[in-house]
Amino acid sequence: MGVSQHTSPGPGRPGAAGPFSQDRSRERGAAGAEPAASPGLGQELPGAGTPGDRPRASVRPMSQRGGSRPGPESLPSAAPACRPCPGPVPAAPGPMDRTGPGSGSSFPALIRKKRDGETLRDEEIRDFVRAVTRGGLQEGQMGAMLMAIRLRGMDPDETLTLTREMVVSGRVLEWPDSWQRLLVDKHSTGGVGDKVSLPLAPALAACGCKVPMISGRGLGHTGGTLDKLESVPGFNISQSSEQMRSILECVGCCIVGQSEDLVPADKVLYGLRDVTATVDSLPLITASILSKKAAEKVSALVLDVKFGSAALYTSLESARTLAQSLVSVGSRLGICTVAMLSKMDGPLGQRVGHSLEVLEALQCLEGQGPADLHQLVTTLGGCLLWQCGEAGSVEQGAARIAATLADGSALGKFQAMLQAQGVEAGVARALCTGTEEQRYQVLGRARAQEELPAAQDGTVQRVEALPIALVLHELGAGRTQKGQPINHLVGAELLVTVGQRVAKGSPWIRIHYDTPELSNDQRQTLQGALVLAASEPFLPSCKVAEVVLPQGSRSLEELTEEQGLGSSQELLCSA
């Protein structure tokens, strides 16, 4: 795959193929620049600036790898070996023009202008982003501008320009023309137990899509996809653009960290947002998420925007506002963009914690596991297949995703991805075809497991995700600053589901921990997460509350009707 240094727009460029390409060049100023998506809330926050700890390694055929790992070596390998990948591509210098007084932009004046609620011109935003990238601003000036944007906001055109300029602050990925319509990705704003990317990417690959997923790490109480995958021995998140292309050619999906030369402006601004209390700024979140996805050059993007007590945005209304901003800007960038608003009051699935979530993702890849996880994976995947024209409706697309989970083809893609990204063949085989005990042998198990009993009889009304996440964070599962080590083995297993009747004294949660040990205060906090009531058992509601399209919001029921809303091209490109 080639890597191009862009100094002008891309996603909305003329001639972009695919059923969703449409010339939206009415945007202010510069032609559409190639956007890139950032980490999303929750997950957007964690991963935005972390390229990964591990040194880059070329992807070699499994037959050439030495060493041994635990796992049933006698089992036949179901995953093909990839051919050797080319080495990393040397970074090309970015087109950083002179900024500041000599270029006509006085940064104190720009800060003052935004502080006073005025609209910044395209060239002023461009000067700011270029100065950020080349290190031409004092940290205090950048922080002041971020706070001005947080307090005064940006209009849609300003947000679009900010996103475009962040994209062209670094390199933009290039793919074969024949892939264009099939390049898809998903982004989540993060939550507790959110392991959707692990089964979704290989399921989409099994349907013929190409998924160049750039993910983030966890920060605070939210989990990061990269941290989960790094609980697998040998998994390497650092892949060059050429290595990504090779993996996509032979597997169809990869999940990697952000490279040093991809959207470098976002790396700088993210680090400052975290320490200047501007993390929740709508335009900054929008630009951060979409700049990386646009740099991936995907044709279709589905966004899982979380709301609830364990999400960055707690109310449906605030999450809807973010989703509308993301869909609007993404569409104007030439990316077919849909957002789904999903509940994040309770954990997604039954397991929380890095290695435990890998185990649950493997269950999902076998067509089993928790119903809420299976439903969200098939719904998001079905929407993407509809968006890129591979399914006539979301419902048809969801059925195709479910079929790949049931017949083992998605699991085979996951095994191939593990091997292509550095996992020994025997380890990948043990994880994907072994028993639960064999999987534990590969991933490891925490020193202690402790079950807590229900304090009374009742029906489970909800299990609060935030208290559980905070306790696990204290036990070593999370980090409070970038680069801090984490314990992949710390986690929790829910032994009950919402709507289930439980008896006093029966175990409802199992905590996995090493050091420090579980304290009495933490036990009390955890007990408060189980909410019971004297009611009849019931079926829990669907996680997806609403779907946001360029024209407005729809219910999931409308979107999944067989005839429903018509073709994705008609619906999504008519805005």
Side-chain angles (χ1 to χ4, degrees):
M1 162 184 73
V3 179
S4 64
Q5 179 74 49
H6 281 241
T7 58
S8 62
R13 63 194 180 290
F20 309 108
S21 300
Q22 186 174 4
D23 185 6
R24 292 187 172 87
S25 56
R26 79 164 189 82
E27 277 63 278
R28 308 183 314 149
E34 206 87 354
S38 130
L41 313 187
Q43 209 142 308
E44 183 264 344
L45 311 178
T50 311
D53 315 312
R54 302 185 178 184
R56 295 185 176 184
S58 297
V59 177
R60 297 174 290 151
M62 299 302 111
S63 60
Q64 296 179 13
R65 292 218 174 111
S68 60
R69 298 270 187 181
E73 297 293 339
S74 59
L75 291 172
S77 175
C82 292
R83 68 172 183 272
C85 293
V89 177
M96 294 301 106
D97 296 341
R98 290 184 68 232
T99 53
S103 69
S105 293
S106 164
F107 289 112
L110 287 186
I111 295 168
R112 187 181 308 113
K113 184 175 182 179
K114 178 48 65 178
R115 179 201 68 187
D116 294 341
E118 298 181 47
T119 299
L120 299 180
R121 301 192 308 273
D122 287 349
E123 57 269 25
E124 292 172 330
I125 296 173
R126 182 177 305 120
D127 285 348
F128 171 68
V129 173
R130 289 179 176 177
V132 165
T133 305
R134 69 165 196 166
L137 289 178
Q138 298 177 26
E139 190 171 281
Q141 289 177 311
M142 291 187 286
M145 178 62 88
L146 293 180
M147 184 57 73
I149 293 172
R150 165 64 178 80
L151 296 176
R152 291 297 192 169
M154 280 184 153
D155 67 30
D157 287 334
E158 287 179 291
T159 304
L160 177 67
T161 299
L162 176 63
T163 306
R164 284 177 164 166
E165 293 304 324
M166 287 171 63
V167 174
V168 298
S169 70
R171 291 184 166 188
V172 176
L173 301 179
E174 293 285 356
W175 312 107
D177 290 341
S178 60
W179 292 5
Q180 188 173 49
R181 182 177 61 83
L182 298 174
L183 285 160
V184 303
D185 200 0
K186 159 262 177 188
H187 179 80
S188 170
T189 59
V192 179
D194 186 358
K195 56 197 74 73
V196 167
S197 294
L198 275 62
L200 178 59
L204 288 165
C207 291
C209 293
K210 303 294 184 182
V211 190
M213 188 175 288
I214 298 173
S215 296
R217 296 190 182 278
L219 185 64
H221 75 273
T222 62
T225 297
L226 299 183
D227 295 318
K228 303 181 206 303
L229 285 169
E230 284 189 330
S231 69
V232 179
F235 191 87
N236 190 351
I237 65 166
S238 299
Q239 303 292 330
S240 71
S241 56
E242 291 295 328
Q243 289 170 330
M244 288 177 66
R245 173 167 175 162
S246 182
I247 295 170
L248 290 188
E249 283 177 339
C250 72
V251 178
C253 63
C254 61
I255 302 178
V256 303
Q258 182 182 358
S259 65
E260 291 291 344
D261 55 4
L262 188 76
V263 200
D266 179 65
K267 281 188 170 72
V268 177
L269 294 180
Y270 167 74
L272 284 173
R273 285 169 54 205
D274 192 42
V275 298
T276 56
T278 56
V279 160
D280 61 349
S281 167
L282 188 67
L284 295 178
I285 291 172
T286 300
S288 182
I289 292 175
L290 292 178
S291 60
K292 276 198 281 297
K293 296 309 174 190
E296 291 176 5
K297 269 215 183 146
V298 294
S299 295
L301 172 66
V302 67
L303 298 150
D304 182 8
V305 180
K306 305 290 190 186
F307 70 94
S309 59
L312 181 62
Y313 284 99
T314 57
S315 71
L316 176 61
E317 293 72 23
S318 57
R320 183 187 296 122
T321 300
L322 172 63
Q324 290 168 341
S325 174
L326 290 166
V327 169
S328 173
V329 173
S331 299
R332 294 176 69 185
L333 288 167
I335 303 173
C336 179
T337 309
V338 172
M340 294 196 177
L341 303 179
S342 65
K343 303 169 187 173
M344 184 40 69
D345 292 308
L348 178 60
Q350 298 295 109
R351 300 188 183 193
V352 181
H354 308 293
S355 63
L356 292 178
E357 290 185 45
V358 171
L359 291 172
E360 190 162 81
L362 287 164
Q363 291 179 341
C364 183
L365 283 163
E366 293 172 325
Q368 303 171 20
D372 60 344
L373 175 61
H374 186 277
Q375 182 185 49
L376 194 54
V377 169
T378 56
T379 300
L380 292 168
C383 188
L384 273 174
L385 292 180
W386 173 67
Q387 288 171 252
C388 72
E390 288 295 291
S393 68
V394 175
E395 186 175 53
Q396 291 175 5
R400 284 193 62 190
I401 296 292
T404 70
L405 300 176
D407 65 18
S409 57
L411 183 61
K413 290 291 186 181
F414 185 71
Q415 182 177 345
M417 183 186 77
L418 292 180
Q419 292 181 219
Q421 292 191 233
V423 179
E424 296 286 346
V427 173
R429 188 164 58 246
L431 277 178
C432 295
T433 65
T435 64
E436 175 106 335
E437 185 54 38
Q438 288 172 324
R439 290 170 177 173
Y440 268 118
Q441 289 174 10
V442 171
L443 298 174
R445 198 191 300 260
R447 178 181 58 83
Q449 293 86 45
E450 179 177 334
E451 295 179 351
L452 299 182
Q456 62 186 56
D457 295 338
T459 298
V460 180
Q461 303 300 302
R462 63 184 182 276
V463 177
E464 297 284 357
L466 187 57
I468 296 173
L470 293 177
V471 168
L472 296 181
H473 185 278
E474 293 171 355
L475 292 173
R479 56 175 63 88
T480 54
Q481 57 187 6
K482 192 171 78 172
Q484 183 178 1
I486 58 174
N487 188 335
H488 292 101
L489 304 181
V490 170
E493 293 179 81
L494 298 183
L495 308 178
V496 299
T497 58
V498 172
Q500 175 186 337
R501 184 77 178 170
V502 298
K504 180 180 179 179
S506 61
W508 71 274
I509 191 171
R510 180 182 299 123
I511 303 297
H512 297 238
Y513 61 90
D514 285 323
T515 303
E517 296 190 354
L518 194 63
S519 69
N520 287 331
D521 286 345
Q522 290 168 336
R523 291 184 183 92
Q524 186 175 355
T525 298
L526 290 169
Q527 291 288 31
L530 179 64
V531 180
L532 302 173
S535 65
E536 293 299 316
F538 60 91
L539 291 175
S541 60
C542 176
K543 288 282 188 184
V544 178
E546 195 173 298
V547 182
V548 178
L549 305 172
Q551 300 81 358
S553 297
R554 302 284 194 280
S555 69
L556 183 60
E557 290 71 24
E558 286 181 287
L559 201 61
T560 53
E561 288 175 6
E562 188 64 30
Q563 302 304 317
L565 301 170
S567 76
S568 57
Q569 183 174 2
E570 294 171 353
L571 183 67
L572 298 171
C573 293
S574 61

